Amino acid sequence: MFKAFQLTLKQASRKVAIPNISLQRGNSTKSLFVTNIPYVCKKSEIHEIFSEYGPIYDLNYPTDKLGRHRGFAFVKLDEEKADKAVVMLCGKPIDDQCIKVVIAEEREPKQKPDL
């Protein structure tokens, strides 16, 4: 691994805001925010990489209006598996591009302004 992409556990656990998450099947889950994904990478490749760390409860792979991948994804895993995935996958090269993986933070629902 390149030294420039090595992260400490503290850096890897930085949080990023995502939409509010509901728990499925009573399991304690965490969402991971994965960035710097090559545009040629397919959803199935991301699924394959993260499924090594346990069952994936949700994989959000956003695309633009033309159906092209936007370069990031949200992956929901069991809580302890998610922590391990952050440490093991942050900086992993995919097609000569190192992905970044952090624990995602739940966003508060937006409130409509009173007019």
Side-chain angles (χ1 to χ4, degrees):
M1 188 180 331
F2 300 105
K3 287 186 180 182
F5 295 104
Q6 290 179 338
L7 296 175
T8 64
L9 182 58
K10 185 177 180 180
Q11 290 171 318
S13 64
R14 188 174 19 139
K15 296 184 177 186
V16 177
I18 63 164
N20 198 7
I21 303 165
S22 62
L23 296 179
Q24 296 177 357
R25 300 181 221 159
N27 292 336
S28 182
T29 61
K30 280 187 180 177
S31 275
L32 304 178
F33 181 54
V34 186
T35 60
N36 207 31
I37 300 171
Y39 293 109
V40 296
C41 187
K42 304 236 184 283
K43 184 176 182 177
S44 60
E45 293 177 69
I46 297 298
H47 190 279
E48 183 179 324
I49 290 168
F50 282 89
S51 63
E52 294 177 21
Y53 296 92
I56 296 175
Y57 295 104
D58 188 31
L59 175 56
N60 184 359
Y61 197 74
T63 57
D64 64 11
K65 293 179 182 178
L66 299 175
R68 297 177 299 202
H69 175 55
R70 295 178 59 197
F72 66 93
F74 295 100
V75 182
K76 191 183 293 190
L77 296 169
D78 287 328
E79 197 166 340
E80 63 274 352
K81 310 273 185 184
D83 293 332
K84 184 176 180 181
V86 168
V87 173
M88 299 302 289
L89 294 176
C90 194
K92 177 181 176 68
I94 300 176
D95 293 330
D96 298 327
Q97 211 169 309
C98 293
I99 62 170
K100 297 173 187 154
V101 184
V102 295
I103 303 291
E105 184 179 286
E106 292 183 30
R107 263 198 311 200
E108 296 295 324
K110 292 183 181 180
Q111 294 180 355
K112 295 180 182 177
D114 294 332
L115 296 178

